[in-house]
Amino acid sequence: KLFAYTGFKNNFDLRNYYLMKSRFSLTGIKNLSKSIFLELKPKKNKKKVLLLDCDNTLWGGVVGEDGYNKVILGDEGIGLIYKNFQKVVKRLVKSGVIIVLLSKNNMSDVKEILKKNKNMILKEEDITAMKINWNEKSNNILELANELNLGTESFVFWDDNPIERKKVKMRIKNVTVINPNNDIEQWPKQLSNLNIFEKGQLTKEDQNKTQLYKIRDNFEKDKKNFNDDEIQYLKSINIKVKVHDINNNNIVRAEQLCNKTNQFNLNLKRLNQKEILKLKNNKKYEIKMLSLKDDYGDHGLIAIYGIYFDKKKLSIDLFAMSCRVLGRYLENWTLNKIRRYAKAKKSEFIFAKFKDGPRNNIFKQFLLDNGFLNIQGKKNGNIFKMRASNEIKFLEIYEKNR
């Protein structure tokens, strides 16, 4: 596939083979090395969310004017271009990319085409969220960032309208705005070749990401109705937590939690699978993962923590939790579990080394709210300390439902 773009003859050269045992031409070597560097490039700042316009992006024409069955979408001509574009979007869904529809339109018209047009590749279950209204798209994007609990730097915006693209660029600097090719027949290939979305070994959580974010959205909406008694609401949804040892079946997810969690993360410690297994085999170290279920569904493996104990000194070395489940006091329950472990080991204090990042101040506040004191500020992090005898507020339901 790599060499097909520039042709077999251009990439291979028999003269080079006889001169230096290289079957590649200079062009072939250049193409091959460029491809290798793209694969080796650090996965920093990879994107998670694709924001898509609807009219003249997912289909040709305007659904509100043409109707759901008369837009340009089918198996021939321009309609096939839009259909193939949707096929690429569908592949991104399966790889764990979050798809959001962002369109100045009527919600009823968009939902009708998703349900009734037989040529639609994308279905409503593929869409994590829809901001279908007449508001400024930049405002909708900022709302989405808050609802999904994701930074706008993880968003990619695709819209056929250059005015909309320019307005989003001006208002939100760190959203990646794509300028679609002037020839729409190039769009499927252009989207497929973006190479800016997160990739890697897929876990169950990746494959269910769209559903998991929908679950979180429903949870947040329902919780707002219980402002007077949030705890009672949480007790009513049958929360169940389970503690897991690291093994071959979940090591990929453990690596993801270490490397992709940016908000509720103690020290942004990035560990690969080999490093995680090394910690697991350290007798002075305990590393676990947590999974969560409630009435909204199975959230999968959503947290990882590691504690180091030596000579009656216990330190929290690793603590990261998916932002999808924040607000259920699971973080408090986990801290209380660590506190009990410290008391059992006769450790008077619990230490935690916090490292500031661009988005993890929420963890620092979590430490302060639970009685930790900042005893030592350092250039590379702050040392926090808490008495193991401190009481931690958590939901007893976690203990009852384990």
Side-chain angles (χ1 to χ4, degrees):
K1 183 181 176 182
L2 169 70
F3 294 136
Y5 286 118
T6 50
F8 188 88
K9 287 184 178 179
N10 289 330
N11 287 287
F12 295 89
D13 190 339
L14 283 174
R15 180 181 55 183
N16 277 1
Y17 173 70
Y18 290 112
L19 284 173
M20 52 185 179
K21 289 294 191 293
S22 169
R23 295 190 182 275
F24 301 114
S25 66
L26 294 180
T27 298
I29 292 170
K30 181 179 178 181
N31 287 337
L32 183 63
S33 57
K34 183 179 178 181
S35 175
I36 290 170
F37 274 112
L38 280 174
E39 291 300 318
L40 295 176
K41 195 175 180 180
K43 296 178 181 179
K44 191 177 180 182
N45 299 326
K46 288 290 186 178
K47 312 304 176 185
K48 298 179 180 180
V49 183
L50 176 59
L51 308 167
L52 288 168
D53 182 35
C54 292
D55 293 330
N56 294 309
T57 297
L58 292 179
W59 53 77
V62 179
V63 66
E65 297 175 2
D66 302 328
Y68 78 89
N69 59 345
K70 291 186 179 179
V71 295
I72 304 171
L73 186 67
D75 294 320
E76 295 180 359
I78 296 175
L80 182 58
I81 297 172
Y82 288 111
K83 197 169 184 178
N84 284 339
F85 182 80
Q86 287 194 31
K87 286 180 180 178
V88 178
V89 177
K90 188 82 167 186
R91 288 203 299 270
L92 291 173
V93 173
K94 292 180 178 178
S95 71
V97 176
I98 296 167
I99 305 299
V100 173
L101 298 190
L102 192 65
S103 174
K104 289 183 177 178
N105 230 313
N106 294 318
M107 179 68 83
S108 58
D109 292 330
V110 173
K111 286 198 170 185
E112 187 176 37
I113 194 171
L114 286 168
K115 290 176 181 177
K116 296 182 179 180
N117 191 303
K118 294 180 180 178
N119 286 306
M120 283 291 295
I121 301 298
L122 285 176
K123 303 297 180 184
E124 195 166 348
E125 57 264 28
D126 299 318
I127 313 301
T128 299
M130 289 190 272
K131 287 290 183 182
I132 311 296
N133 52 46
W134 302 98
N135 301 334
E136 283 296 331
K137 294 192 175 183
S138 56
N139 291 338
N140 282 329
I141 291 172
L142 293 173
E143 285 182 11
L144 276 164
N146 184 54
E147 290 168 11
L148 297 175
N149 213 1
L150 292 171
T152 51
E153 71 278 359
S154 62
F155 288 9
V156 176
F157 180 64
W158 184 298
D159 195 305
D160 69 295
N161 189 327
I163 296 174
E164 295 291 354
R165 297 198 300 267
K166 187 173 182 180
K167 285 197 288 188
V168 169
K169 269 185 182 178
M170 290 176 64
R171 177 86 190 277
I172 314 173
K173 302 297 184 184
N174 57 2
V175 171
T176 299
V177 178
I178 304 299
N179 292 317
N181 197 297
N182 291 330
D183 299 320
I184 68 166
E185 60 264 26
Q186 297 295 326
W187 286 11
K189 180 181 175 183
Q190 183 183 1
L191 180 59
S192 181
N193 291 341
L194 279 182
N195 196 36
I196 56 175
F197 294 104
E198 286 186 345
K199 294 179 182 178
Q201 291 176 271
L202 283 182
T203 64
K204 182 182 76 172
E205 287 76 14
D206 291 322
Q207 294 165 343
N208 297 332
K209 191 175 284 185
T210 294
Q211 183 60 29
L212 291 172
Y213 271 99
K214 284 184 177 181
I215 286 173
R216 182 186 181 279
D217 190 43
N218 291 334
F219 167 79
E220 291 294 337
K221 286 177 181 176
D222 291 344
K223 193 172 75 167
K224 287 178 182 177
N225 298 325
F226 283 79
N227 283 336
D228 294 336
D229 198 347
E230 180 189 45
I231 301 299
Q232 192 59 39
Y233 166 64
L234 291 171
K235 288 180 178 179
S236 74
I237 61 174
N238 296 309
I239 298 172
K240 296 180 181 179
V241 64
K242 188 176 180 180
V243 181
H244 301 261
D245 291 322
I246 307 291
N247 56 47
N248 291 333
N249 295 323
N250 59 30
I251 184 68
V252 175
R253 180 59 179 160
E255 182 182 43
Q256 283 185 343
L257 285 166
C258 291
N259 291 285
K260 291 185 178 183
T261 309
N262 297 309
Q263 293 186 64
F264 198 83
N265 193 320
L266 171 63
N267 48 29
L268 305 174
K269 183 171 282 193
R270 309 309 191 187
L271 300 172
N272 58 37
Q273 294 181 32
K274 186 176 179 180
E275 290 166 329
I276 292 169
L277 290 174
K278 186 177 179 181
L279 291 176
K280 181 194 171 186
N281 295 325
N282 186 337
K283 293 181 179 179
K284 295 180 180 180
Y285 203 95
E286 179 169 300
I287 184 168
K288 302 286 184 180
M289 282 200 293
L290 304 174
S291 64
L292 187 73
K293 291 182 181 179
D294 56 31
D295 286 347
Y296 290 92
D298 185 348
H299 301 270
L301 292 162
I302 42 72
I304 187 169
Y305 69 88
I307 49 180
Y308 181 77
F309 181 79
D310 187 32
K311 296 178 181 177
K312 292 190 177 182
K313 180 180 178 180
L314 187 140
S315 300
I316 306 174
D317 180 64
L318 175 68
F319 195 169
M321 183 178 293
S322 170
C323 59
R324 287 187 288 102
V325 296
L326 291 178
R328 289 170 170 83
Y329 288 88
L330 178 62
E331 58 272 29
N332 294 59
W333 179 84
T334 307
L335 181 58
N336 193 61
K337 182 177 174 61
I338 294 170
R339 184 186 71 85
R340 287 179 176 175
Y341 183 88
K343 289 187 73 175
K345 291 288 187 179
K346 294 183 169 41
S347 175
E348 186 179 356
F349 296 100
I350 298 171
F351 295 87
K353 183 178 179 181
F354 173 80
K355 183 177 180 181
D356 278 301
R359 298 176 60 211
N360 72 333
N361 192 57
I362 185 176
F363 202 107
K364 184 177 183 180
Q365 191 60 49
F366 167 72
L367 292 173
L368 295 171
D369 289 345
N370 284 283
F372 278 88
L373 298 174
N374 190 347
I375 61 168
Q376 186 177 345
K378 285 187 176 181
K379 188 176 181 180
N380 295 322
N382 299 291
I383 305 298
F384 284 80
K385 174 181 170 183
M386 180 192 82
R387 286 189 176 275
S389 57
N390 281 12
E391 292 297 322
I392 305 295
K393 180 183 177 182
F394 72 98
L395 295 183
E396 294 81 2
I397 193 170
Y398 285 106
E399 292 296 323
K400 294 176 182 177
N401 289 344
R402 284 190 62 202

